[in-house]
Amino acid sequence: MAVAIANTLLEEYRLQWQELFNASQPDFSIRLAALDAFLEKGFPTTKQEDWRYTNLAPIVKEHYLPQAKLTNFSGSFGHFGIPANRLVFINGTYAPEFSEILDSSILTIEPFQLSENDFYLTDNFNLLNRAFANNGLLITIKKGQALQYPILLILQYSDDTGRALVNNSNRIVAEENSQAHIIEFHQYGESPVFNNTLTTVSLGQSANISYQKVQAQVQNQVQVHQLYAQLARQSVFTANAFDFGGRVVRNNVRIDLNGEHAEVHLNGLYAMGDKAHIDNHLNVNHFAPNCHSNQLYKGLINDNATGVFNGRIFVAKDAQKTNAFQSNKNILLSDAANITSKPQLEIFADDVKCSHGSTTGQMDKQALFYLQARGLDKQQATALLNVAFAGEIIDRVTIEPLREWLVQSLNNSMGNAN
């Protein structure tokens, strides 16, 4: 029965794609090839090792259909109280009427078309995004320039879409010696949405980019987020991911260190309650010598929520003098909460420093007792310890209003809004 349902849905995808795209579009053949490849693969199942702990079958049965149109929106957009180069997307479509560019002299914004030279992967959701994503932007930070204001990508999902699959796709190019802060903020309404987002980042020599992915979902939302970055010589990329809630959240991260002395820092904080599920899947590939990578992901799992962490470091034969570190730390806040953690190393060079580790435990009862003995009730004490545990990640955000928002969102997701 599940196979029949999936096949019916895939046929609907084919028919809807034919209504949206035609042969006059310059990237038509690339989209068509991606569609055919996706229809052959279908949605991933738990029989695939990379999806072993995340079951999408119940979601597929609900028939989310691709949404590519801009619908009216009259609400407000979150902006964290900071001036920014604001780029708004509603249901995957760029909305210039809600957007504003402050660094216009050193930042270029233009539509991009798919090309055969894209470094996309060929996993299921990448192919789906490649086939259906519409109105994506190519965002370029010019050579030798440092943005005065951060780039704020607001991905808004409106309430009049029905049960929609929304494909977002944007590409960021940081030219040689450029610098920028980027915030990608996902803002949801109450309607159920399956969000499939692809963000690609290319760093030129000595570029320095800080990127934050932020979402505070209501509990009926599904998100597959794909971040792919390529690093040239001496470039530095810092990526912080913050996930607070959501029915199912899957983060696919791939970083390719292609130039000598490139450096990447991946930090993540996930706080999940109710019956939420999050799966963080990280791949860091050291293809050049003398590069550095560091991964630190922390999770707070409450109620009947579940978490998965799968982090992989690959060191190629020629990537000598690699320094690569990985750590995943989790706290289970209820007896029903669950986490599966699987750090991995694949090393083919012989002159490297690499390590990985994982810890999972419960809240320190002595620390709780200490705080309660000094006048805090149990909820207040737990909230304080949650923030202390998460602080190592939140403090790595350099934009103060965003840090404050993250602390409040953490407390909200853990039921400690007061």
Side-chain angles (χ1 to χ4, degrees):
M1 178 63 71
V3 174
I5 291 173
N7 288 341
T8 301
L9 179 61
L10 294 178
E11 183 58 31
E12 291 184 54
Y13 278 31
R14 181 188 297 277
L15 295 174
Q16 187 152 352
W17 186 89
Q18 291 171 346
E19 294 179 4
L20 294 171
F21 302 102
N22 58 69
S24 65
Q25 294 177 269
D27 55 8
F28 177 81
S29 61
I30 301 173
R31 290 182 179 275
L32 178 59
L35 176 69
D36 288 341
F38 170 73
L39 294 178
E40 182 177 350
K41 285 190 171 186
F43 287 96
T45 71
T46 53
K47 293 181 180 180
Q48 296 174 228
E49 182 60 30
D50 284 350
W51 288 85
R52 181 179 177 184
Y53 301 105
T54 299
N55 183 13
L56 295 179
I59 297 167
V60 172
K61 291 178 182 178
E62 295 173 7
H63 277 58
Y64 287 83
L65 293 176
Q67 168 66 254
K69 67 179 180 179
L70 175 66
T71 56
N72 294 326
F73 183 77
S74 59
S76 60
F77 301 102
H79 53 77
F80 310 111
I82 56 174
N85 298 288
R86 187 176 68 248
L87 303 174
V88 176
F89 301 81
I90 301 177
N91 300 328
T93 297
Y94 177 53
E97 66 272 27
F98 295 117
S99 303
E100 181 181 18
I101 309 300
L102 302 179
D103 286 313
S104 57
S105 62
I106 58 178
L107 183 68
T108 63
I109 309 295
E110 56 187 319
F112 78 84
Q113 301 291 338
L114 295 170
S115 75
E116 297 290 352
N117 296 324
D118 290 334
F119 61 90
Y120 292 98
L121 302 180
T122 56
D123 62 85
N124 311 60
F125 282 100
N126 189 283
L127 292 168
L128 181 62
N129 187 284
R130 197 173 180 182
F132 277 100
N134 199 25
N135 298 104
L137 293 183
L138 171 61
I139 303 164
T140 304
I141 304 117
K142 294 182 180 179
K143 179 179 178 179
Q145 300 295 323
L147 294 186
Q148 180 179 357
Y149 303 102
I151 299 172
L152 175 57
L153 304 173
I154 300 175
L155 280 61
Q156 172 70 49
Y157 308 94
S158 62
D159 277 335
D160 58 352
T161 59
R163 196 173 292 276
L165 170 67
V166 178
N167 292 279
N168 300 289
S169 184
N170 290 294
R171 181 175 305 164
I172 299 161
V173 175
E175 294 183 343
E176 181 179 345
N177 285 304
S178 63
Q179 298 179 39
H181 293 277
I182 300 164
I183 305 169
E184 182 182 301
F185 179 54
H186 296 260
Q187 183 167 296
Y188 292 85
E190 295 297 325
S191 295
V193 171
F194 192 150
N195 159 27
N196 178 28
T197 292
L198 170 63
T199 302
T200 61
V201 186
S202 297
L203 283 78
Q205 181 173 329
S206 300
N208 191 325
I209 296 295
S210 172
Y211 165 87
Q212 335 288 325
K213 177 253 184 178
V214 182
Q215 67 87 7
Q217 295 181 331
V218 292
Q219 292 304 314
N220 63 348
Q221 310 299 355
V222 179
Q223 181 181 77
V224 174
H225 188 274
Q226 304 172 86
L227 171 65
Y228 298 141
Q230 289 187 321
L231 278 64
R233 179 182 175 86
Q234 294 179 323
S235 62
V236 179
F237 182 54
T238 301
N240 302 317
F242 298 95
D243 291 284
F244 304 111
R247 179 181 172 186
V248 175
V249 179
R250 166 76 177 220
N251 291 316
N252 289 334
V253 179
R254 171 172 170 157
I255 311 295
D256 293 344
L257 295 98
N258 297 323
E260 196 169 1
H261 298 290
E263 186 175 325
V264 63
H265 302 273
L266 300 177
N267 306 299
L269 175 64
Y270 45 98
M272 315 301 280
D274 197 17
K275 297 179 181 179
H277 176 86
I278 186 166
D279 185 345
N280 288 297
H281 231 77
L282 281 62
N283 284 280
V284 175
N285 300 304
H286 286 261
F287 293 132
N290 294 295
C291 291
H292 176 85
S293 69
N294 187 68
Q295 302 173 40
L296 176 60
Y297 269 61
K298 286 189 167 186
L300 290 159
I301 313 295
N302 201 7
D303 305 322
N304 291 287
T306 57
V308 179
F309 176 85
N310 191 319
R312 173 179 171 269
I313 297 171
F314 173 82
V315 182
K317 182 179 179 181
D318 296 330
Q320 303 294 345
K321 304 293 183 181
T322 286
N323 288 312
F325 308 99
Q326 179 188 92
S327 178
N328 176 228
K329 301 178 180 180
N330 301 282
I331 292 180
L332 302 180
L333 297 171
S334 75
D335 292 337
N338 181 269
I339 182 77
T340 299
S341 185
K342 186 181 177 184
Q344 295 175 270
L345 295 174
E346 293 185 33
I347 302 172
F348 294 92
D350 54 18
D351 186 6
V352 302
K353 292 181 180 178
C354 298
S355 68
H356 66 345
S358 175
T359 61
T360 298
Q362 297 178 323
M363 188 66 72
D364 188 333
K365 293 182 180 180
Q366 288 187 335
L368 276 173
F369 175 79
Y370 177 86
L371 292 174
Q372 289 177 267
R374 278 149 182 78
L376 300 181
D377 62 30
K378 186 176 182 180
Q379 184 182 32
Q380 292 172 325
T382 300
L384 189 60
L385 291 174
N386 286 344
V387 172
F389 175 77
E392 186 177 5
I393 306 296
I394 294 176
D395 287 346
R396 300 186 183 198
V397 175
T398 59
I399 301 170
E400 184 175 353
L402 177 55
R403 286 201 307 270
E404 295 174 355
W405 185 92
L406 291 169
V407 171
Q408 184 61 48
S409 295
L410 171 65
N411 284 329
N412 289 341
S413 67
M414 294 287 98
N416 298 310
N418 298 320

